[in-house]
Amino acid sequence: MDSPQEEEKRAAARRGASFVENGMVVGLGSGSTAAYAIEFLGERVRAGLAVRAIPTSSRSKQLAEREGIPLIDFGSVTELDLTIDGADEVDPQLDLIKGGGGALVREKVVASASHRLIIVADSSKQVRVLGAFPLPVVVVPFAVPRIARLIVEMGASVALRTDEAKQPFITDDGNHLLDCRFDPIPDARALASRLGETPGIVDHGLFLGMADLVVIARGANVVELRRERPK
């Protein structure tokens, strides 16, 4: 029997997958809740739904292939109808921290190419202020020592992510990852700007102003939170 948290993940993922319509090009996120969404989408594909999808990690690619979801890449399309992904934190403005699974660069590329970004999450991911979850920052290996010192100077504690063998975690694109704990982040937009301007940083896990819909499961209830876009 699933834990209450796993039940919430499944409920949010099922609702998120329901937004996919016939003929869409869909981004497939990474992480445990996104994995449930891929499974539910696979059920719909086997029932006759016609979609094409771009996965955001090797893990989501493997899962999509197992589910029989047709996959493409950016050699075939430049835009996607929507992406379904998870998040490590969601604040009241629907800003996010993502990248706990290490796939944030591809996640951000796919999300930025999508007309809609749908986030699916359990209730533990809702926070008042971003930053209790360590912010992932992807760095080229050559620059890791310098970038780590710079981020410490910004007020964070910084740890190089390692794998099960205690070696540096390597992203799908061959980079390293720093987990940076600010707890909380005082100004997410200022931090995103500073990180984005620093040579050696490939990208960071702040997804600001990107989510169009956040589907949160809390117990037996599933809530849809929508971002108001300027008309």
Side-chain angles (χ1 to χ4, degrees):
M1 182 176 179
D2 286 339
S3 68
Q5 184 179 33
E6 290 302 307
E7 291 289 352
E8 288 185 351
K9 289 180 180 182
R10 291 176 64 85
R14 186 177 292 277
R15 178 72 62 86
S18 72
F19 288 94
V20 178
E21 299 177 0
N22 203 54
M24 280 187 168
V25 178
V26 182
L28 303 177
S30 301
S32 57
T33 310
Y36 283 132
I38 294 172
E39 292 177 358
F40 292 135
L41 184 58
E43 291 178 1
R44 297 186 63 200
V45 167
R46 291 190 295 277
L49 182 72
V51 298
R52 295 176 296 162
I54 296 181
T56 57
S57 66
S58 57
R59 171 61 183 149
S60 57
K61 178 177 184 291
Q62 292 168 0
L63 181 55
E65 288 174 338
R66 189 186 79 188
E67 292 294 324
I69 300 172
L71 299 181
I72 58 173
D73 58 28
F74 283 114
S76 303
V77 297
T78 57
E79 295 181 341
L80 296 82
D81 294 290
L82 62 83
T83 286
I84 304 171
D85 206 345
D88 299 299
E89 288 188 344
V90 180
D91 76 4
Q93 291 72 46
L94 306 191
D95 289 332
L96 318 169
I97 285 180
K98 288 178 48 55
L104 68 92
V105 174
R106 296 190 185 188
E107 289 173 342
K108 194 172 284 187
V109 169
V110 171
S112 68
S114 302
H115 293 291
R116 297 179 72 197
L117 173 60
I118 298 175
I119 297 297
V120 290
D122 65 87
S123 59
S124 72
K125 305 304 189 294
Q126 272 191 299
V127 298
R128 293 176 60 87
V129 181
L130 298 177
F133 189 91
L135 176 67
V137 178
V138 178
V139 182
V140 296
F142 171 77
V144 165
R146 178 175 187 272
I147 298 302
R149 288 195 299 271
L150 290 176
I151 297 177
V152 168
E153 292 172 3
M154 296 178 194
S157 60
V158 177
L160 176 66
R161 190 179 298 187
T162 56
D163 58 21
E164 293 179 355
K166 303 303 181 184
Q167 297 300 307
F169 176 91
I170 305 298
T171 70
D172 284 344
D173 299 303
N175 294 304
H176 289 181
L177 204 153
L178 298 174
D179 290 311
C180 309
R181 187 180 294 276
F182 288 86
D183 198 16
I185 295 172
D187 186 334
R189 277 159 178 75
L191 178 61
S193 179
R194 189 169 180 186
L195 294 174
E197 293 170 354
T198 302
I201 293 178
V202 179
D203 214 330
H204 54 79
L206 288 169
F207 284 55
L208 308 179
M210 298 185 73
D212 297 283
L213 173 67
V214 175
V215 179
I216 296 281
R218 185 178 296 277
N221 298 318
V222 178
V223 178
E224 298 176 7
L225 307 174
R226 288 177 167 78
R227 181 185 301 278
E228 293 297 327
R229 296 289 186 184
K231 295 184 178 181

